[in-house]
Amino acid sequence: MGLPNHFDLVATDGEARTGKLTTPHGVVRTPAFMPVGTAGAMKGLHWREVRDAGADIVLGNTYHLMLRPGAERIAALGGLQAFTGWNGPMLTDSGGFQVMSLAQLRKVSESAVTFRSHIDGLSFELSPERAIELQRLLGSDIAMQLDECVRLPAERGDIERAMQLSLRWAERGKRAFETAPAGYMLFGIAQGGDVPKLRRASALGLAGIGFHGYAIGGLAVGEPQSVMLAMIEEVAPILPRDRPRYLMGVGTPEDMLEAVARGIDMFDCVMPTRNGRHGMAFTRFGQINLRNARHADDPRPLDEESLWPSTQRCSRAYLHHLVRSGETLGAMLLSEINIAYYQRLMADIRDAISQRALASFRERTRADWEKGDIPPR
Amino acid sequence: MGLPNHFDLVATDGEARTGKLTTPHGVVRTPAFMPVGTAGAMKGLHWREVRDAGADIVLGNTYHLMLRPGAERIAALGGLQAFTGWNGPMLTDSGGFQVMSLAQLRKVSESAVTFRSHIDGLSFELSPERAIELQRLLGSDIAMQLDECVRLPAERGDIERAMQLSLRWAERGKRAFETAPAGYMLFGIAQGGDVPKLRRASALGLAGIGFHGYAIGGLAVGEPQSVMLAMIEEVAPILPRDRPRYLMGVGTPEDMLEAVARGIDMFDCVMPTRNGRHGMAFTRFGQINLRNARHADDPRPLDEESLWPSTQRCSRAYLHHLVRSGETLGAMLLSEINIAYYQRLMADIRDAISQRALASFRERTRADWEKGDIPPR
């Protein structure tokens, strides 16, 4: 209880909020989208491009980093910021989610999860305490508690068991974090699947333990958007109003716009880079598939009104050619274009909230997306 | 005969020369290394990085571009410079070399080479005239004649036949180029394998036809470096002194340094980007294999005295991790580091020639390479 608060609410508009989160490596403007630099690298982007696109903070995956190159090695090399050269705020997950999705022979017990590495089959044990230790070694500005995330749909009994276990692990994580230096933060994670009552119990439990910030986990795992939004509506009002709220693993631009309107401050997702590698561009006009033959002879850029140089200048014909030819530059350009779009959307959202104009911004933005791409030439 | 000359010799030092070649899209400082942007893209680099690294000119492959997206399409989109966004000088090869190495069912006759695309099996015919037409459609500042290149070792009879055919194609290429607008250039290509007499005959024949510049082709195709240098020594003195000389497909830093000392002005090679994708860095200390475990815990950069930011800042440990993890960023950084090293070497060579100090620069540079990498930590 009573952890110091590093979050300043600057303005609100309905449930939506804009603020500043101060970390040891710099200030994060919220609502914030955190690009995912899985194993200490953003796929297809230089760190300078991530920065130029407007990202204040990025996410690293503890599971990947603990296996390779190893958290102790990164610590000896000065931490993730020095190691990667991204010298800004970093949030790391606990490793738990990827243990569930990538590791082999995993086994969850009260004390810890044991698993074998998907790279070389070596055995590891990840406890709530070790998850904190790993993230301290990495030097994360924001660490996440170890939790157990259940894929939906799932039996209510399984959801409840995992949620209760996650709450007990939250307490253990908080104790393990007590020795962390001032300024570093630990977030608790609300679980509870698609069951409103369990979601509320989880949020209440976490608020009782007390964290620097609060995440909503276990969403965007296969459920309809309406369920995700309903769960946010259950949880957000229970979480302490003065602390940042992070919706994990979300999402599409539309998901984020809707979640912001329900009080969420932070997001992360691999979608902009992953879809970029598959020839998809996120733009003001929605998602555009550059692989489509309609672009082959089209000299127009994706969006000539964009402020991002590649979006505003590269022709659709060129992007189409790069994607069809499997040229790395195609993935590089589209990943960069997508990260820049996500960051632009967040900046616009922050402005709209400051001006208490989120409702009209949301309407206008959704209308643009729904209109779809400009007609073929 | 009597084609206008766009090359200004600025200084010489022994056989070595430094100069300026003025193209419709800008000036090229020589000796020049041309990074290879195969299919309208540099693998792993943005064009801005190629420019920042110091490249004045890049090379495009007509074979790849004619198949996809097609030369007529690129012409309709404003030419290669507008299409790709590299708005500087471009040299294209004739397509002949890749027809020999990549295409299927190729057949060489007096009139043309016919082949099937390695992408979709469609049939194409490439004549000396069509090779010029394709390069005119692409908008190349410097076009290359179609030639026939024989892999070494080869029978003398085969080498001679291909050399004579290439000379006849050179004449046809020159005629086809007559309608090109002022400022655009056509280079002839000397063949003759590893046979001094045939090399001299080829160079004499080309000089008699008269081109804006002259290339030496059919080297760096498997012969020892000593043979390559001996062939340059046969050919260079015969080529018109006031015209640029381009050694095709070469090479290692050492190859280039030795070739410059024998009167070569231009180079191209995929080695800096290809080796970069395989974890190799070119540095002042020679080639360094970042995959090697000795780098895993080494916080030192590749070369702290380098003027190129990534070479000077990225730790060996980070590059090692990226290469071992198969992260795109590893290939991106090493390709950029290698292109920057090649361009730095060319800039230093130009300075050394201007100061008539190439001999001592060459000695110092070779000594650094031979000393090898800095000792492990």
Side-chain angles (χ1 to χ4, degrees), chain A residues 98-142:
Chain A
Q98 260 126 8
V99 167
M100 307 302 169
S101 56
L102 292 177
Q104 297 161 344
L105 294 175
R106 61 191 168 275
K107 211 182 137 211
V108 180
S109 72
E110 181 65 30
S111 64
V113 51
T114 55
F115 63 92
R116 288 181 185 272
S117 156
H118 73 288
I119 300 172
D120 55 14
L122 285 179
S123 285
F124 288 86
E125 182 180 277
L126 188 62
S127 65
E129 292 78 15
R130 176 64 177 157
I132 298 300
E133 184 184 24
L134 286 167
Q135 295 176 85
R136 294 289 312 120
L137 286 165
L138 296 174
S140 329
D141 297 87
I142 303 174

Side-chain angles (χ1 to χ4, degrees), chain A residues 185-200:
Chain A
M185 287 173 256
L186 176 64
F187 282 21
I189 305 175
Q191 289 290 352
D194 51 2
V195 186
K197 194 179 156 193
L198 298 181
R199 283 279 170 191
R200 289 195 300 272

Side-chain angles (χ1 to χ4, degrees), chain A residues 270-282 287 323 330-336 338:
Chain A
V270 296
M271 209 179 276
T273 44
R274 179 176 291 166
N275 289 18
R277 289 199 299 285
H278 292 103
M280 304 295 289
F282 286 97
Q287 251 194 100
V323 169
M332 289 163 61
L333 284 169
L334 288 171
S335 298
E336 171 204 297
N338 290 348

